[in-house]
Amino acid sequence: MAFMEDGDVPSSVHQLPAVSDGVKLAAVATFLYLIVRYLNLKSPAAPPDVFYRDTALSQYLLKSCPLLTQEYVPPLLWGKSGHFQTLLYGKMGRVSTPTPRGARTFLSMPDGATASYDTFDALREHSTGADVTMVICPGIGNHSEKNYIRTFVDYSQRRGYRCAVLNHLGALPDTELTSPRMFTYGCTWELEALVVQVKRVFPRTLLVLVGFSLGGNIVCKFLGENRANQARVLCCVSVCQGYSALRAQETFLQWDQCRRFYNFILANNMKKLILKHRSSFSSFSSSSVDDSDMKQLHLLTSLTQVDDQVMRKFHHHDSLREYYEKESCVHYIHQVSVPLLLVNSGDDPLVHPSLLDIPRTLAESMSNVMFARTQHGGHMGFYEGALLPQPLSWMDKLLLQYTDAVCTWAQQQDPQDPQDPQDRQARQQDRVLGRATRTRTRPTPGTLGDSGGRGDEEEP
């Protein structure tokens, strides 16, 4: 029998450390690859893609809004990931959030609901000398107390804008419902009541409408439902909306870009909001939502299921398809004639890239529409900064650049304004729109980029 000497060690034993080092190196390489891949670090910063028709107004806006032609540079390491931007927005909204002081107004609706909005006075005179009110419609389940809204309001106040922020029905904490319904994806009743009230209280003011996410759908639908709604409106801006709920709900069930996960999170948040008002729904005899709906709600895992079980019933829609069709701005947005800026991010995990064909087609066919699509930004993120995010986002700055430019354009078109301030502001709006008079006819709803047109069907 052969025995090994003390110095005789099998070669495989000498190779073990080398094999171990190789595994470690492969693990580190894999980890680094995943970081580069999922943080999108190889993607270069770039200016937004801007789609528009070549007009005097669009050329002026491009010159007056440098953010539309300059690179949007997101924060280092994490800023090029749409997921990180979206999750950071969802967690804290903005950093170093100011606390603007405002006054809350409650409005009684015809069906017994109580709408509310908060008004924040301008902190300085607007650069044009005009009285301009920024009407702001927040995202899903949001209100004036959210950090991103407070940041944008404070920035707008310091630029000379009065702000009126809609609080979505049922979204405010510690505020009970006074009728058996909440806000929905496209109901414009509360926004209309806000606009009417602002025009009444400030008879000389001009309006700028701004909508974030779901709020973007609402402001565009509101303006397109009736041309009379566009009276005294200088312009409108929509950020990160999906345009067609019918097409969006199909993409929300897909797992690419973790969209199904976001769907679950949003559905869970909506369930909490609805269940918070469970006692209110049960106290109204006219409620279309009963206890069986509330019990079933606990089992639902997607927004589509929540919409079908509860949300569509607030306005007595017979089917989910009918609810999505009637509440999507895609059927009305082509009736908007005021300057309209649509902003979306190409890496938004909530808005599928196929939905962005809708604003692109609109911008290429209508002279008043401009569509800006950034490469990065996620859903409502658009953070800037070297590593840590700055208090103001790229989105905040762009919106004020655009609205300032439209206000200045209106003033420059005819320097010899009439002496009466109200008549002067009416003339300013007409010059922005490029027409002599404002029409008051009700449009016929149509369809852009979606199936299932509604012809002459009226909005309920």
Side-chain angles (χ1 to χ4, degrees):
M1 179 180 294
F3 293 93
M4 290 188 298
E5 299 286 342
D6 290 341
D8 295 336
V9 180
S11 60
S12 60
V13 176
H14 287 294
Q15 294 174 358
L16 284 178
V19 172
S20 178
D21 290 342
V23 171
K24 291 178 181 179
L25 183 62
V28 171
T30 302
F31 178 72
L32 292 176
Y33 168 78
L34 292 176
I35 289 180
V36 172
R37 173 71 175 81
Y38 288 102
L39 294 185
N40 208 18
L41 295 179
K42 295 183 65 176
S43 176
D49 295 320
V50 183
F51 303 91
Y52 59 94
R53 294 190 66 179
D54 191 9
T55 64
L57 176 58
S58 63
Q59 290 300 326
Y60 177 81
L61 291 173
L62 288 175
K63 292 179 181 178
S64 304
C65 304
L67 290 179
L68 288 174
T69 55
Q70 296 173 355
E71 288 184 351
Y72 162 52
V73 182
L76 297 174
L77 297 181
W78 57 270
K80 294 180 180 179
S81 168
H83 297 293
F84 268 82
Q85 293 239 23
T86 301
L87 293 173
L88 187 61
Y89 153 74
K91 185 66 176 177
M92 65 180 189
R94 294 291 180 259
V95 298
S96 303
T97 307
T99 307
R101 295 179 178 272
R104 181 157 296 168
T105 301
F106 294 91
L107 303 172
S108 297
M109 304 295 291
D111 66 343
T114 302
S116 72
Y117 70 93
D118 290 8
T119 305
F120 304 86
D121 292 330
L123 299 179
R124 49 159 284 189
E125 185 179 84
H126 192 270
S127 58
T128 63
D131 182 323
V132 187
T133 300
M134 189 89 71
V135 176
I136 302 170
C137 190
I140 183 170
N142 289 175
H143 44 75
S144 64
E145 298 172 14
K146 291 295 183 179
N147 286 352
Y148 75 98
I149 295 293
R150 288 162 50 192
T151 298
F152 182 69
V153 165
D154 179 77
Y155 186 42
S156 300
Q157 286 180 286
R158 297 180 187 280
R159 297 289 287 268
Y161 293 89
R162 178 190 301 108
C163 295
V165 183
L166 178 68
N167 299 309
H168 284 303
L169 199 61
L172 278 172
D174 305 320
T175 301
E176 295 296 326
L177 296 175
T178 58
S179 76
R181 71 176 179 90
M182 292 173 53
F183 75 93
T184 58
Y185 177 68
C187 179
T188 60
W189 296 351
E190 291 78 53
L191 179 63
E192 180 180 13
L194 183 161
V195 169
V196 170
Q197 180 72 359
V198 167
K199 288 180 179 179
R200 186 187 68 80
V201 176
F202 307 104
R204 296 180 176 179
T205 194
L206 294 171
L207 305 181
V208 171
L209 268 62
V210 176
F212 297 106
S213 193
L214 172 141
N217 177 72
I218 292 177
V219 296
C220 291
K221 181 172 177 282
F222 167 72
L223 292 177
E225 282 177 334
N226 193 327
R227 288 192 185 274
N229 294 342
Q230 301 177 45
R232 290 166 58 184
V233 175
L234 281 175
C235 62
C236 176
V237 183
S238 163
V239 182
C240 288
Q241 68 149 310
Y243 306 96
S244 171
L246 189 63
R247 288 174 54 176
Q249 62 95 16
E250 299 171 356
T251 66
F252 254 171
L253 298 177
Q254 301 170 0
W255 278 103
D256 67 303
Q257 292 297 310
C258 302
R259 201 166 287 110
R260 185 65 178 85
F261 170 75
Y262 290 106
N263 189 0
F264 175 80
I265 297 298
L266 290 173
N268 196 50
N269 291 339
M270 277 303 304
K271 286 160 58 176
K272 291 178 181 178
L273 266 181
I274 296 170
L275 290 171
K276 185 183 75 170
H277 297 290
R278 181 172 186 169
S279 59
S280 297
F281 293 134
S282 61
S283 65
F284 295 105
S285 58
S286 60
S287 178
S288 56
V289 178
D290 54 30
D291 286 338
S292 63
D293 293 316
M294 294 293 105
K295 293 177 181 178
Q296 188 68 22
L297 197 61
H298 291 283
L299 305 176
L300 308 182
T301 61
S302 72
L303 273 179
T304 302
Q305 293 173 331
V306 174
D307 289 341
D308 193 25
Q309 189 69 37
V310 177
M311 304 303 289
R312 69 173 178 84
K313 297 179 181 180
F314 289 142
H315 293 284
H316 308 286
H317 293 299
D318 293 330
S319 67
L320 186 64
R321 181 183 182 88
E322 179 187 278
Y323 169 66
Y324 284 156
E325 286 185 342
K326 288 189 175 182
E327 303 231 344
S328 294
C329 75
V330 70
H331 300 288
Y332 298 92
I333 195 170
H334 64 287
Q335 299 286 358
V336 178
S337 58
V338 302
L340 175 61
L341 174 64
L342 306 173
V343 182
N344 286 93
S345 170
D347 65 353
D348 187 337
L350 273 64
V351 180
H352 193 276
S354 64
L355 295 172
L356 302 187
D357 291 340
I358 297 173
R360 177 173 180 171
T361 300
L362 195 73
E364 292 175 341
S365 61
M366 296 184 63
S367 59
N368 64 303
V369 180
M370 184 173 284
F371 171 47
R373 182 186 62 199
T374 61
Q375 188 168 336
H376 310 111
H379 187 78
M380 294 288 295
F382 299 105
Y383 293 101
E384 290 184 306
L387 182 60
L388 299 177
Q390 297 175 353
L392 284 177
S393 70
W394 178 89
M395 173 188 73
D396 299 321
K397 299 173 185 176
L398 173 64
L399 266 56
L400 267 295
Q401 279 190 5
Y402 179 83
T403 54
D404 282 349
V406 172
C407 292
T408 303
W409 167 269
Q411 186 183 62
Q412 291 179 350
Q413 296 311 295
D414 184 5
Q416 297 181 354
D417 282 331
Q419 295 300 313
D420 179 68
Q422 186 170 1
D423 189 23
R424 179 171 65 247
Q425 290 172 359
R427 289 269 302 274
Q428 283 180 343
Q429 185 202 29
D430 287 334
R431 289 195 300 275
V432 171
L433 306 184
R435 60 176 185 255
T437 59
R438 294 186 296 277
T439 59
R440 293 290 188 271
T441 57
R442 180 176 178 84
T444 300
T447 303
L448 176 66
D450 199 356
S451 58
R454 300 191 295 135
D456 296 331
E457 188 172 323
E458 292 290 329
E459 178 71 2

